[in-house]
Amino acid sequence: MYQFQCDYNEGAHPRIMEKLLQTNLEQTVGYGEDHYCEEAREAIRKAVGRPDADVHFLVGGTQTNATVISSILRPYQGVLCASTGHINVHETGAIEHGGHKVLAVEARNGLLGSEQIRTAMQLHLAEDGPEHTVQPGMVYISFSSELGTVYSLRQLREIRAACREYGLPLFIDGARMGYGLASEGCDVTLQDIAELADVFYLGGTKQGALFGEAVVILNETLKKDFRYYIKQNGGMLAKGRLLGIQFLTLFEDGLYFEVSQHAVNQAMRIRDAFKAKGFEMLVQSPSNQQFPILDNVTLRRLSEKFLFSVWQKVDDEHTAVRFCTSWATRPEAVDALLAEL
Amino acid sequence: MYQFQCDYNEGAHPRIMEKLLQTNLEQTVGYGEDHYCEEAREAIRKAVGRPDADVHFLVGGTQTNATVISSILRPYQGVLCASTGHINVHETGAIEHGGHKVLAVEARNGLLGSEQIRTAMQLHLAEDGPEHTVQPGMVYISFSSELGTVYSLRQLREIRAACREYGLPLFIDGARMGYGLASEGCDVTLQDIAELADVFYLGGTKQGALFGEAVVILNETLKKDFRYYIKQNGGMLAKGRLLGIQFLTLFEDGLYFEVSQHAVNQAMRIRDAFKAKGFEMLVQSPSNQQFPILDNVTLRRLSEKFLFSVWQKVDDEHTAVRFCTSWATRPEAVDALLAEL
Amino acid sequence: MYQFQCDYNEGAHPRIMEKLLQTNLEQTVGYGEDHYCEEAREAIRKAVGRPDADVHFLVGGTQTNATVISSILRPYQGVLCASTGHINVHETGAIEHGGHKVLAVEARNGLLGSEQIRTAMQLHLAEDGPEHTVQPGMVYISFSSELGTVYSLRQLREIRAACREYGLPLFIDGARMGYGLASEGCDVTLQDIAELADVFYLGGTKQGALFGEAVVILNETLKKDFRYYIKQNGGMLAKGRLLGIQFLTLFEDGLYFEVSQHAVNQAMRIRDAFKAKGFEMLVQSPSNQQFPILDNVTLRRLSEKFLFSVWQKVDDEHTAVRFCTSWATRPEAVDALLAEL
Amino acid sequence: MYQFQCDYNEGAHPRIMEKLLQTNLEQTVGYGEDHYCEEAREAIRKAVGRPDADVHFLVGGTQTNATVISSILRPYQGVLCASTGHINVHETGAIEHGGHKVLAVEARNGLLGSEQIRTAMQLHLAEDGPEHTVQPGMVYISFSSELGTVYSLRQLREIRAACREYGLPLFIDGARMGYGLASEGCDVTLQDIAELADVFYLGGTKQGALFGEAVVILNETLKKDFRYYIKQNGGMLAKGRLLGIQFLTLFEDGLYFEVSQHAVNQAMRIRDAFKAKGFEMLVQSPSNQQFPILDNVTLRRLSEKFLFSVWQKVDDEHTAVRFCTSWATRPEAVDALLAEL
């Protein structure tokens, strides 16, 4: 049974496993202060084009979001995001557990618009007694989004401008950064991300690593004491070199981009096949997540040979489902799916 | 200039002031363990018809909401409420500061429906991995609501049934409980409230006291160690007898209901006058808050002689405003408003 | 039965009650934005000699401590204080509920020394990986202390110097500020406090008001958005003018200092009487709290006519107890105690 | 340069690496619901002798402590522990960040005594107004302790009895559980731990795994909804099977105990050598952490060839240091140290 239900079905890219094995009995200091982490930081600084960036490695996405947001907001501030944002719906209230309201805004296709940021700020400031309401203190967006959609460079620049206007740091959740950058028609580069975000992260878990997320802090004022936040939020891995080794392997010679492109290519094959067969898509996604709307018969038939996620009921006869590809998706698995279609 | 902008413009009902003065130099123990508090508790138990109720006195509404909710939820649980709920919009994220997500549901006219509770629970339980999302752990409603509207007995019973079905404690914010119970056409009694809620509070601040809210806990399992919660949340008044004296005065012979009726009567005069003059109301409110929609000319004209709240813009030419009455509203003030209309 | 068990046994100073009565039916805006609050702020700025100070009114001490500390610390920081500090022992973990560790230091007689601050900082900085430990982020002291003791001007200046050296804001809990300033031999003035603290508060609850604490912020960087913190922590009184009226009465012509002196005078009479009778004191206190060590026979005998607090067992035969005086202590009550001794 | 500074200098035991490699491209579901996790749970249930135990896998120790404690305490409760406890000193206030006070008790040699638990509870209950103080809500101990010391079975039973007496759940931090059980003279078995604790964890990070801690919940009332806590605290690894595979390898045929014994054997060689040369030990440790007190000359000399931790200054001439062994310590490294001594 081929599995397409998520992008973390397998272990790690073979080159990562190989490197972990080679270095396994080497002795290093802990907590990310070893030379592999330092080299990985350097490789990432180079890849994002910002020698001044601070780079930190954490284990997982929810933890990373909670840690970064905790480091930015004051207690009475909240984080603006699309209602579909991962922090709003799939992190068991980790942000609220840390004391902050998620200020969710209805968003089309998982993308937040700059106008929505402006409106939220204007509404807050127009309050008769704004101190009775939560102050928006930062903006969170996902690239690519939870629905596979991707911001254009123009959209990102507009968001950045709105953030600047109101003094809001911009945080980009890059759990699927590589898949976003490799998406069809994408005009955004990693350097653009580093230029526009105050802080973002490069997801490893879904992009070829066993686990791990690399936080890149660009804004000078957000760098102070970040390691305290990591430790307090349980994200400081004792054997930090495991993260260093993985990200070094992903970034020293472009493996990150290579595996991302592979996943998107396979996703496009899936999308094209569904469309060719006349299926509608829940959303037009140019990246590694595809959301075809299946009639009940097809749903049942495909379920017998493939694993995929049930996303949402559309009507009594139709259901939107999710097919994910990843660095590990074998073309033969896609072949099989296409054959079945 | 007559003030109608809120229901806490004045001090306290003269009988309360008198009692505070009489007892001022008496010596009592602190923190709500004096005999006035005990008598007030007894009077409230009698008024609500539940000799087994635990009654606690706190200072203000935001504090009371944060304290009660903190005492009910586990860390991964959130509180279901109408999107207009006070805890969602006007408490600067106090609930999130305490670690919990407010699970806001779009609600008509400030009232939450039992179907919305069921839907929220069903959606949560249908999640593929509900532990990735916040678990609804209780229901919060306001009586009367933030828009002046009032649940019928049937609606409350349906809410209660939905809560029971899913094991959700029901908390009723009664900052304006008296005004709700005295509202036009209300078929709910205080005894009904005590029968249907797991915990509720009787607002004093807006209903004749200088300040103070009386929490009434009916559900046995929610009574344990409640005083710890009050203290931790900064609500344990050193001179607790001030609260006891005020609530005793309000409840020993029905003053609470008397002042509430007065406020609603004056509000009905205002409502009828606006309607008679052809103004539309933002919402049909039978209680002490009225929301006429004014054209810009009328808005400007009334602003010269009266204070009221601007609620929301309806269109370029019209604005919904709020007129509040209270225990202290002088009929002459309403006369003046009616004359001006 | 005369009560000496605390300094909040009675209501408020008669002049405060009178003023509350006079203004009772006046209409004002809420939340501390009325003219009484403004006048009270002005009177306090004058009394502390700092026209640039921000002044805010809250309801109670635990709430005030939680609010101020929340406004100063980052999540990974803690507050240094004496182990006897109120925030460490008598606030049901309100500071930890807000997310911060209380870094308690063993202190002699309730007073923190500048050397203890330096030692704590040096230990933190000397850690191999300070980010694994809580960073001291501010210093909290009480004036007068929970044991009635009072810092000298030299001690305060040394504390201030240590704070400056390590960039730690200094917060002075002044729940009993007046009693401290009026204490026997005190060489500190309110202006000194305002010069040395980054933020402090003037206690009303124990010093003649029904309730209320006035926070005075001197440090410019701590002023921003403080009203959001008050609201979020449940300390923003709807009828804020009640606080304004009380503090205006206390500060417009020196009543605060007058009642403080009265309390200390009565406490000195009590102290002298115990000492003259050969009783030892747990601690040498020059202010309104006295801690004689009573043998069991005396303890029993005095308990029949007076209420006082049992503080701590000294040995099987002796117990330290606390006698408090206040603005309201009648000289005849002290006469009776002296006669009994 | 041989490294003895901690027990997480290397990667994982070769058998673990081998198994990770073998399974790397296999597809499984995420979040710990795969068959490897299920098998590992079963192996652990068998090893601890409790078929009814709930077993959950988390990534690191700080996260595990925060998660377990969050699942047990109510907001106004704190956790009793030795002042040297990891949660008190080396987790950047993660417990306080979650809202709870760590009630640290001065402890000899890192071990908490049952009498200290009783005293703490008695003091709390004897308070005049216990609700003004944090209520002890659970007990935390470490096995082995942060100083390498180990409770005897009698001591553990006494602690358990004291916990039962006051209704306090007992949580045992087993970051070094294997090393404790393998320690010289230990009369405690893993089955004893499972009988006495309400919840404990088996550390993987320091005991042969790349990372990972296995929480074992024995007390029925603590099992409910634990996965929500894991997710909220950022501990739910997407590729959960990595944890399952590691713990399965450690527990399916006793590898966990084998590597633990190896580490303790090497530590005993180090201890004996230091003692034979007349060095005093800071504490008598029978497990994998040894704390010799070195004179400055020896300190300098050893530093040239070995990495170890500086623990604390004893006097101007002497410093206590820490040598750690682990599953990975090569006997030749110890030989070299012994030769140097």
Short mmCIF file of all heavy atoms in Angstrom, two decimals, chain A residues 258-295:
data_model
loop_
_atom_site.label_atom_id
_atom_site.label_comp_id
_atom_site.label_asym_id
_atom_site.label_seq_id
_atom_site.Cartn_x
_atom_site.Cartn_y
_atom_site.Cartn_z
N GLU A 258 17.17 20.22 -4.07
CA GLU A 258 17.05 19.07 -4.96
C GLU A 258 15.87 18.17 -4.54
O GLU A 258 15.02 17.81 -5.35
CB GLU A 258 18.37 18.30 -4.86
CG GLU A 258 18.67 17.29 -5.90
CD GLU A 258 20.02 16.64 -5.57
OE1 GLU A 258 21.05 17.37 -5.50
OE2 GLU A 258 20.03 15.42 -5.34
N VAL A 259 15.83 17.83 -3.27
CA VAL A 259 14.74 16.95 -2.82
C VAL A 259 13.39 17.66 -2.89
O VAL A 259 12.36 17.03 -3.16
CB VAL A 259 14.97 16.40 -1.39
CG1 VAL A 259 16.26 15.57 -1.32
CG2 VAL A 259 14.97 17.49 -0.35
N SER A 260 13.40 18.97 -2.68
CA SER A 260 12.16 19.74 -2.76
C SER A 260 11.61 19.69 -4.18
O SER A 260 10.41 19.49 -4.40
CB SER A 260 12.39 21.19 -2.34
OG SER A 260 12.84 21.26 -1.00
N GLN A 261 12.51 19.88 -5.13
CA GLN A 261 12.07 19.87 -6.52
C GLN A 261 11.49 18.52 -6.90
O GLN A 261 10.46 18.43 -7.57
CB GLN A 261 13.26 20.22 -7.43
CG GLN A 261 12.85 20.54 -8.86
CD GLN A 261 11.88 21.72 -8.90
OE1 GLN A 261 12.20 22.82 -8.47
NE2 GLN A 261 10.65 21.48 -9.37
N HIS A 262 12.14 17.49 -6.44
CA HIS A 262 11.64 16.14 -6.70
C HIS A 262 10.20 15.98 -6.22
O HIS A 262 9.33 15.47 -6.94
CB HIS A 262 12.55 15.10 -6.02
CG HIS A 262 11.96 13.74 -5.98
ND1 HIS A 262 11.98 12.89 -7.07
CD2 HIS A 262 11.28 13.08 -5.01
CE1 HIS A 262 11.36 11.77 -6.76
NE2 HIS A 262 10.92 11.84 -5.52
N ALA A 263 9.95 16.41 -5.00
CA ALA A 263 8.60 16.25 -4.43
C ALA A 263 7.57 17.03 -5.24
O ALA A 263 6.47 16.53 -5.52
CB ALA A 263 8.60 16.72 -2.97
N VAL A 264 7.92 18.24 -5.61
CA VAL A 264 6.97 19.06 -6.36
C VAL A 264 6.71 18.44 -7.73
O VAL A 264 5.56 18.37 -8.19
CB VAL A 264 7.46 20.51 -6.47
CG1 VAL A 264 6.56 21.31 -7.41
CG2 VAL A 264 7.49 21.17 -5.09
N ASN A 265 7.75 17.95 -8.36
CA ASN A 265 7.56 17.31 -9.66
C ASN A 265 6.55 16.15 -9.56
O ASN A 265 5.66 16.02 -10.40
CB ASN A 265 8.89 16.76 -10.19
CG ASN A 265 9.84 17.88 -10.57
OD1 ASN A 265 9.42 19.05 -10.66
ND2 ASN A 265 11.11 17.54 -10.78
N GLN A 266 6.72 15.35 -8.56
CA GLN A 266 5.79 14.23 -8.40
C GLN A 266 4.38 14.73 -8.10
O GLN A 266 3.39 14.17 -8.57
CB GLN A 266 6.28 13.28 -7.29
CG GLN A 266 7.64 12.65 -7.58
CD GLN A 266 7.70 11.95 -8.93
OE1 GLN A 266 6.77 11.24 -9.33
NE2 GLN A 266 8.79 12.17 -9.67
N ALA A 267 4.28 15.79 -7.32
CA ALA A 267 2.96 16.35 -6.99
C ALA A 267 2.27 16.88 -8.24
O ALA A 267 1.05 16.74 -8.41
CB ALA A 267 3.10 17.45 -5.94
N MET A 268 3.05 17.48 -9.12
CA MET A 268 2.47 18.03 -10.35
C MET A 268 1.92 16.91 -11.23
O MET A 268 0.89 17.06 -11.88
CB MET A 268 3.51 18.87 -11.12
CG MET A 268 3.97 20.13 -10.40
SD MET A 268 2.65 21.34 -10.05
CE MET A 268 2.17 20.93 -8.39
N ARG A 269 2.62 15.79 -11.23
CA ARG A 269 2.12 14.63 -11.99
C ARG A 269 0.75 14.20 -11.43
O ARG A 269 -0.19 13.92 -12.19
CB ARG A 269 3.09 13.46 -11.90
CG ARG A 269 4.42 13.68 -12.62
CD ARG A 269 5.33 12.46 -12.43
NE ARG A 269 4.76 11.26 -13.03
CZ ARG A 269 5.05 10.01 -12.64
NH1 ARG A 269 5.88 9.81 -11.63
NH2 ARG A 269 4.47 8.98 -13.23
N ILE A 270 0.66 14.19 -10.13
CA ILE A 270 -0.60 13.79 -9.50
C ILE A 270 -1.71 14.79 -9.83
O ILE A 270 -2.82 14.43 -10.23
CB ILE A 270 -0.42 13.66 -7.96
CG1 ILE A 270 0.53 12.50 -7.65
CG2 ILE A 270 -1.76 13.50 -7.26
CD1 ILE A 270 0.91 12.35 -6.19
N ARG A 271 -1.37 16.06 -9.65
CA ARG A 271 -2.37 17.10 -9.95
C ARG A 271 -2.87 16.99 -11.38
O ARG A 271 -4.09 16.98 -11.63
CB ARG A 271 -1.75 18.49 -9.74
CG ARG A 271 -2.73 19.61 -10.02
CD ARG A 271 -2.02 20.94 -10.20
NE ARG A 271 -1.10 20.88 -11.35
CZ ARG A 271 -0.31 21.88 -11.72
NH1 ARG A 271 -0.29 22.99 -10.99
NH2 ARG A 271 0.49 21.78 -12.76
N ASP A 272 -1.92 16.91 -12.31
CA ASP A 272 -2.30 16.88 -13.72
C ASP A 272 -3.19 15.68 -14.03
O ASP A 272 -4.16 15.79 -14.79
CB ASP A 272 -1.05 16.87 -14.59
CG ASP A 272 -0.27 18.18 -14.47
OD1 ASP A 272 -0.85 19.15 -13.92
OD2 ASP A 272 0.89 18.23 -14.88
N ALA A 273 -2.88 14.56 -13.39
CA ALA A 273 -3.68 13.36 -13.64
C ALA A 273 -5.10 13.52 -13.13
O ALA A 273 -6.08 13.20 -13.82
CB ALA A 273 -3.01 12.15 -12.97
N PHE A 274 -5.24 14.04 -11.94
CA PHE A 274 -6.59 14.25 -11.41
C PHE A 274 -7.36 15.22 -12.30
O PHE A 274 -8.52 15.00 -12.65
CB PHE A 274 -6.54 14.79 -9.97
CG PHE A 274 -6.44 13.69 -8.93
CD1 PHE A 274 -5.28 13.48 -8.21
CD2 PHE A 274 -7.54 12.87 -8.67
CE1 PHE A 274 -5.19 12.46 -7.25
CE2 PHE A 274 -7.47 11.86 -7.72
CZ PHE A 274 -6.29 11.65 -7.02
N LYS A 275 -6.70 16.30 -12.67
CA LYS A 275 -7.39 17.30 -13.50
C LYS A 275 -7.78 16.72 -14.85
O LYS A 275 -8.88 16.95 -15.34
CB LYS A 275 -6.49 18.52 -13.70
CG LYS A 275 -6.41 19.39 -12.46
CD LYS A 275 -5.75 20.73 -12.80
CE LYS A 275 -6.17 21.82 -11.83
NZ LYS A 275 -5.51 23.10 -12.13
N ALA A 276 -6.86 15.95 -15.41
CA ALA A 276 -7.13 15.35 -16.72
C ALA A 276 -8.35 14.43 -16.65
O ALA A 276 -9.10 14.30 -17.62
CB ALA A 276 -5.91 14.57 -17.19
N LYS A 277 -8.54 13.84 -15.48
CA LYS A 277 -9.69 12.95 -15.32
C LYS A 277 -10.95 13.72 -14.92
O LYS A 277 -11.98 13.12 -14.60
CB LYS A 277 -9.40 11.89 -14.24
CG LYS A 277 -8.36 10.87 -14.68
CD LYS A 277 -8.89 9.99 -15.82
CE LYS A 277 -7.80 9.10 -16.40
NZ LYS A 277 -8.23 8.41 -17.63
N GLY A 278 -10.83 15.05 -14.85
CA GLY A 278 -12.01 15.85 -14.58
C GLY A 278 -12.32 16.09 -13.11
O GLY A 278 -13.39 16.62 -12.79
N PHE A 279 -11.42 15.74 -12.26
CA PHE A 279 -11.67 16.03 -10.84
C PHE A 279 -11.38 17.50 -10.56
O PHE A 279 -10.43 18.08 -11.09
CB PHE A 279 -10.76 15.16 -9.95
CG PHE A 279 -11.13 13.70 -9.98
CD1 PHE A 279 -10.48 12.81 -10.84
CD2 PHE A 279 -12.15 13.21 -9.16
CE1 PHE A 279 -10.83 11.47 -10.89
CE2 PHE A 279 -12.51 11.87 -9.19
CZ PHE A 279 -11.85 10.99 -10.06
N GLU A 280 -12.20 18.07 -9.70
CA GLU A 280 -11.91 19.44 -9.25
C GLU A 280 -10.97 19.40 -8.07
O GLU A 280 -10.91 18.40 -7.34
CB GLU A 280 -13.21 20.14 -8.86
CG GLU A 280 -14.04 20.54 -10.07
CD GLU A 280 -15.05 21.60 -9.70
OE1 GLU A 280 -14.64 22.69 -9.24
OE2 GLU A 280 -16.25 21.33 -9.84
N MET A 281 -10.23 20.48 -7.90
CA MET A 281 -9.32 20.59 -6.77
C MET A 281 -9.94 21.57 -5.75
O MET A 281 -10.52 22.58 -6.13
CB MET A 281 -7.96 21.10 -7.21
CG MET A 281 -7.34 20.35 -8.40
SD MET A 281 -7.16 18.54 -8.15
CE MET A 281 -5.57 18.49 -7.30
N LEU A 282 -9.77 21.28 -4.48
CA LEU A 282 -10.28 22.16 -3.42
C LEU A 282 -9.63 23.53 -3.52
O LEU A 282 -10.24 24.57 -3.30
CB LEU A 282 -9.98 21.54 -2.05
CG LEU A 282 -10.45 22.34 -0.84
CD1 LEU A 282 -11.97 22.34 -0.75
CD2 LEU A 282 -9.85 21.77 0.45
N VAL A 283 -8.37 23.51 -3.89
CA VAL A 283 -7.59 24.75 -3.98
C VAL A 283 -6.51 24.50 -5.03
O VAL A 283 -6.09 23.36 -5.24
CB VAL A 283 -6.98 25.07 -2.58
CG1 VAL A 283 -6.00 23.99 -2.15
CG2 VAL A 283 -6.33 26.42 -2.53
N GLN A 284 -6.12 25.55 -5.74
CA GLN A 284 -5.08 25.40 -6.75
C GLN A 284 -3.72 25.43 -6.07
O GLN A 284 -3.23 26.50 -5.74
CB GLN A 284 -5.18 26.52 -7.80
CG GLN A 284 -6.53 26.57 -8.52
CD GLN A 284 -6.95 25.23 -9.09
OE1 GLN A 284 -6.13 24.50 -9.66
NE2 GLN A 284 -8.22 24.85 -8.90
N SER A 285 -3.14 24.30 -5.89
CA SER A 285 -1.86 24.24 -5.19
C SER A 285 -0.73 23.91 -6.13
O SER A 285 -0.78 22.89 -6.83
CB SER A 285 -1.91 23.18 -4.08
OG SER A 285 -0.61 22.76 -3.75
N PRO A 286 0.32 24.73 -6.14
CA PRO A 286 1.46 24.47 -7.02
C PRO A 286 2.58 23.73 -6.30
O PRO A 286 3.68 23.65 -6.82
CB PRO A 286 1.92 25.89 -7.37
CG PRO A 286 1.64 26.67 -6.11
CD PRO A 286 0.43 26.03 -5.47
N SER A 287 2.30 23.19 -5.09
CA SER A 287 3.40 22.58 -4.34
C SER A 287 3.11 21.13 -3.97
O SER A 287 2.33 20.47 -4.65
CB SER A 287 3.71 23.43 -3.10
OG SER A 287 2.68 23.32 -2.14
N ASN A 288 3.70 20.62 -2.95
CA ASN A 288 3.70 19.16 -2.73
C ASN A 288 2.44 18.60 -2.08
O ASN A 288 2.38 17.41 -1.80
CB ASN A 288 4.92 18.76 -1.90
CG ASN A 288 4.71 19.04 -0.42
OD1 ASN A 288 4.23 20.12 -0.08
ND2 ASN A 288 5.02 18.09 0.43
N GLN A 289 1.47 19.45 -1.78
CA GLN A 289 0.20 18.97 -1.25
C GLN A 289 -0.89 19.21 -2.29
O GLN A 289 -1.04 20.34 -2.74
CB GLN A 289 -0.16 19.70 0.03
CG GLN A 289 0.88 19.59 1.15
CD GLN A 289 0.42 20.34 2.40
OE1 GLN A 289 -0.36 19.83 3.19
NE2 GLN A 289 0.89 21.56 2.56
N GLN A 290 -1.65 18.19 -2.62
CA GLN A 290 -2.71 18.31 -3.61
C GLN A 290 -4.04 17.87 -2.99
O GLN A 290 -4.08 16.86 -2.29
CB GLN A 290 -2.38 17.47 -4.85
CG GLN A 290 -1.15 18.00 -5.60
CD GLN A 290 -1.36 19.42 -6.13
OE1 GLN A 290 -2.47 19.78 -6.55
NE2 GLN A 290 -0.30 20.22 -6.07
N PHE A 291 -5.09 18.63 -3.27
CA PHE A 291 -6.38 18.40 -2.62
C PHE A 291 -7.50 18.11 -3.63
O PHE A 291 -8.40 18.94 -3.80
CB PHE A 291 -6.76 19.62 -1.78
CG PHE A 291 -5.75 19.94 -0.71
CD1 PHE A 291 -4.63 20.71 -0.99
CD2 PHE A 291 -5.92 19.46 0.59
CE1 PHE A 291 -3.69 21.00 0.02
CE2 PHE A 291 -5.00 19.74 1.59
CZ PHE A 291 -3.88 20.51 1.29
N PRO A 292 -7.47 16.98 -4.30
CA PRO A 292 -8.57 16.67 -5.24
C PRO A 292 -9.87 16.41 -4.47
O PRO A 292 -9.85 15.96 -3.32
CB PRO A 292 -8.09 15.39 -5.93
CG PRO A 292 -7.12 14.79 -4.98
CD PRO A 292 -6.46 15.92 -4.26
N ILE A 293 -10.97 16.73 -5.14
CA ILE A 293 -12.28 16.43 -4.58
C ILE A 293 -12.80 15.16 -5.23
O ILE A 293 -12.99 15.10 -6.45
CB ILE A 293 -13.25 17.61 -4.84
CG1 ILE A 293 -12.74 18.86 -4.10
CG2 ILE A 293 -14.67 17.26 -4.38
CD1 ILE A 293 -13.51 20.13 -4.38
N LEU A 294 -12.97 14.13 -4.40
CA LEU A 294 -13.34 12.82 -4.92
C LEU A 294 -14.82 12.52 -4.67
O LEU A 294 -15.36 12.86 -3.62
CB LEU A 294 -12.50 11.73 -4.26
CG LEU A 294 -10.98 11.88 -4.30
CD1 LEU A 294 -10.31 10.65 -3.67
CD2 LEU A 294 -10.50 12.06 -5.74
N ASP A 295 -15.43 11.88 -5.65
CA ASP A 295 -16.77 11.34 -5.41
C ASP A 295 -16.59 10.09 -4.55
O ASP A 295 -15.50 9.52 -4.47
CB ASP A 295 -17.45 10.99 -6.73
CG ASP A 295 -16.60 10.04 -7.53
OD1 ASP A 295 -15.71 10.53 -8.27
OD2 ASP A 295 -16.78 8.82 -7.37
#
